[in-house]
Coordinates of all heavy atoms in Angstrom, one line a residue:
K10 N 27.0 5.0 -17.2 CA 26.4 6.2 -16.6 C 26.0 5.9 -15.2 O 26.2 6.7 -14.3 CB 25.2 6.6 -17.4 CG 25.3 7.8 -18.2 CD 24.0 8.4 -18.8 CE 23.8 8.0 -20.2 NZ 22.6 8.5 -20.8
Q11 N 25.3 4.8 -14.9 CA 25.0 4.4 -13.6 C 26.2 4.2 -12.8 O 26.2 4.7 -11.6 CB 24.1 3.1 -13.6 CG 22.7 3.3 -14.0 CD 21.9 4.0 -13.0 OE1 22.0 3.8 -11.7 NE2 21.2 4.9 -13.5
G12 N 27.2 3.6 -13.3 CA 28.5 3.3 -12.5 C 29.0 4.7 -12.1 O 29.5 4.8 -11.0
T13 N 29.0 5.6 -13.0 CA 29.6 6.9 -12.7 C 28.8 7.6 -11.5 O 29.5 8.2 -10.6 CB 29.6 7.9 -14.0 OG1 30.4 7.3 -15.0 CG2 30.2 9.2 -13.7
I14 N 27.6 7.6 -11.5 CA 26.7 8.1 -10.5 C 27.1 7.5 -9.2 O 27.3 8.2 -8.2 CB 25.2 8.0 -10.8 CG1 24.8 8.8 -12.1 CG2 24.3 8.2 -9.6 CD1 23.5 8.4 -12.6
W15 N 27.2 6.2 -9.1 CA 27.4 5.5 -7.9 C 28.8 5.7 -7.4 O 29.0 5.6 -6.2 CB 27.0 4.1 -7.9 CG 25.4 4.1 -7.9 CD1 24.6 3.7 -9.2 CD2 24.5 4.4 -7.0 NE1 23.3 3.9 -8.8 CE2 23.2 4.4 -7.5 CE3 24.6 4.9 -5.7 CZ2 22.1 4.7 -6.8 CZ3 23.4 5.2 -5.0 CH2 22.2 5.1 -5.6
E16 N 29.7 5.7 -8.3 CA 31.2 6.0 -7.9 C 31.2 7.4 -7.3 O 32.0 7.6 -6.3 CB 32.2 5.9 -9.1 CG 32.3 4.4 -9.5 CD 33.0 4.3 -10.9 OE1 33.6 5.3 -11.5 OE2 33.0 3.2 -11.4
K17 N 30.5 8.4 -7.7 CA 30.4 9.7 -7.1 C 29.9 9.6 -5.7 O 30.5 10.3 -4.8 CB 29.6 10.6 -8.0 CG 29.6 12.1 -7.5 CD 28.8 12.9 -8.5 CE 28.8 14.4 -8.0 NZ 27.8 14.8 -7.1
E18 N 28.9 8.8 -5.5 CA 28.4 8.6 -4.2 C 29.3 8.0 -3.3 O 29.5 8.4 -2.1 CB 27.1 7.7 -4.2 CG 25.8 8.3 -4.9 CD 25.3 9.4 -3.9 OE1 25.2 9.2 -2.8 OE2 24.8 10.4 -4.6
A19 N 30.1 7.0 -3.8 CA 31.1 6.3 -3.0 C 32.2 7.4 -2.6 O 32.7 7.3 -1.5 CB 31.7 5.1 -3.7
K20 N 32.6 8.1 -3.5 CA 33.7 9.2 -3.3 C 33.2 10.2 -2.2 O 33.9 10.4 -1.3 CB 33.9 10.0 -4.6 CG 34.8 11.1 -4.5 CD 35.0 11.9 -5.7 CE 35.7 13.2 -5.5 NZ 35.7 14.1 -6.7
E21 N 31.9 10.7 -2.2 CA 31.5 11.5 -1.3 C 31.4 10.8 0.1 O 31.7 11.4 1.1 CB 30.1 12.1 -1.6 CG 30.2 13.0 -2.8 CD 28.8 13.4 -3.3 OE1 27.7 13.0 -2.8 OE2 28.8 14.1 -4.4

Side-chain angles (χ1 to χ4, degrees):
K10 256 193 254 183
Q11 280 294 315
T13 300
I14 291 167
W15 291 107
E16 286 169 13
K17 185 176 184 271
E18 288 290 321
K20 176 185 171 189
E21 291 171 3

